[in-house]
Amino acid sequence: MSARTTRTRLFAAATVALAALSLTACEGDGLNTGSPKPASSSASADESTGPSDDAKDGTGSAGSSGSAGKDDASGSGTGSGSGEGSGSGKNTGGGKDSNSGSGSDSDSDLPGKCSASDVRITAKNAPRPINHLLLTATNTGSKTCTLPQYPAARFGEAQSVPPVAESSKPQALTTLASGESGYAGVRLSSGDGSAEGGHEVSTLTIPFEDGSIARAELPSGRVHVDNDLTVTYWQTSAANALEY
C-alpha cells in the first residue's frame, strides 16, 4: 500500500471521528437548556400578601405583606408576610331613665281633705229663692283643706242623701285656707206643695269622707222638706250657691 493511500484513509478516519464528536456536542447542547427560569417575584409577592387564616377570622385587619425574597440563581424565591389585628367594642349606649315620676307638686304639697273637726257648718234661710237654705262651711283650723264635692246632707232620719244639681258643678274642688268659707245651696221643697213626701225635720248632719260628722242647727229648729230636696256642689261664693 502506498503512502498516499494510507494518508487518505487516516484523513477519512479523522473526519469521521470529528463528525462524531460534533454530533455528540450538538446533542448535549439540545439537552442542556441552561439554568431554570427564575420564579416570578410578583407571583411570590402576591402569595405572601394574602391574608392568613387568623387574619380572616374577623378579629383584625390583615397585616402588610412581607417583602418578596430575592430570587436566587436556581429560580427559587422566598417571601414572608404576617398580619395581626385586634378589635374590641364596649357598648356604653345604655341609658338610664332618671325620671322618678316626682314633680315639684308632690302629694305632700297638696292640701288635705277637710274633716268635721276642721270646719264649722251653719244653715240659714236664703232670702231668695224661696224654700232654700244656704250652708256655710268655715275652716276653723290652722291648715288649708279641701271640701268634698258636695254636702252629703242628711235631714232628720233620711236613709239617703239628696240628689246633687249637676249644673252647679265647679271646675275644681273648693279649697279653704284658715278662716275662709265655702257655700252650698239646698232646695228644701217645691214651694207650691206639688211634690210628694213633704214632712218636717229638726236635725241636719253632714258626714265627711274620713267618717267624721258635722252637725248644723236648722233655722227656727225645723224645716219642711219633700221629694224635691236637692243640694248644690260646694262653691267659693254664696251667690253661686244660690243660683240653682
Side-chain angles (χ1 to χ4, degrees), residues 183-195:
Y183 307 90
V186 180
R187 180 181 179 183
L188 296 173
S189 62
S190 61
D192 58 3
S194 60

Side-chain angles (χ1 to χ4, degrees), residues 79-108:
S80 64
S82 64
E84 182 178 355
S86 64
S88 64
K90 184 177 181 181
N91 182 10
T92 61
K96 183 178 180 182
D97 185 5
S98 61
N99 182 12
S100 62
S102 63
S104 58
D105 294 332
S106 62
D107 291 342
S108 61

Side-chain angles (χ1 to χ4, degrees), residues 7-23:
R7 287 195 298 271
T8 301
R9 290 182 177 178
L10 289 174
F11 179 78
T15 302
V16 172
L18 289 172
L21 289 175
S22 298
L23 180 60

Side-chain angles (χ1 to χ4, degrees), residues 149-151 163-172 174 183-185 230-236 240-244:
Q149 288 187 318
Y150 57 88
V164 61
E166 289 297 333
S167 59
S168 66
K169 186 175 183 178
Q171 293 182 349
T174 300
Y183 307 90
T230 307
V231 299
T232 69
Y233 286 87
W234 286 111
Q235 310 288 330
T236 57
N240 289 340
L242 295 175
E243 285 181 356
Y244 307 95

Side-chain angles (χ1 to χ4, degrees), residues 56-190:
K56 291 179 180 180
D57 60 4
T59 60
S61 59
S64 60
S65 63
S67 59
K70 183 178 181 181
D71 294 339
D72 57 22
S74 64
S76 63
T78 61
S80 64
S82 64
E84 182 178 355
S86 64
S88 64
K90 184 177 181 181
N91 182 10
T92 61
K96 183 178 180 182
D97 185 5
S98 61
N99 182 12
S100 62
S102 63
S104 58
D105 294 332
S106 62
D107 291 342
S108 61
D109 296 331
L110 297 176
K113 296 178 180 180
C114 293
S115 173
S117 61
D118 300 323
V119 298
R120 181 182 70 252
I121 297 181
T122 60
K124 294 182 177 180
N125 286 320
R128 59 182 177 87
I130 62 171
N131 302 324
H132 277 65
L133 284 181
L134 177 65
L135 302 181
T136 303
T138 303
N139 184 355
T140 59
S142 60
K143 296 182 180 180
T144 301
C145 67
T146 301
L147 290 170
Q149 288 187 318
Y150 57 88
R154 293 182 183 271
F155 286 88
E157 302 297 326
Q159 299 299 312
S160 61
V161 299
V164 61
E166 289 297 333
S167 59
S168 66
K169 186 175 183 178
Q171 293 182 349
L173 295 176
T174 300
T175 299
L176 304 178
S178 178
E180 291 183 343
S181 298
Y183 307 90
V186 180
R187 180 181 179 183
L188 296 173
S189 62
S190 61

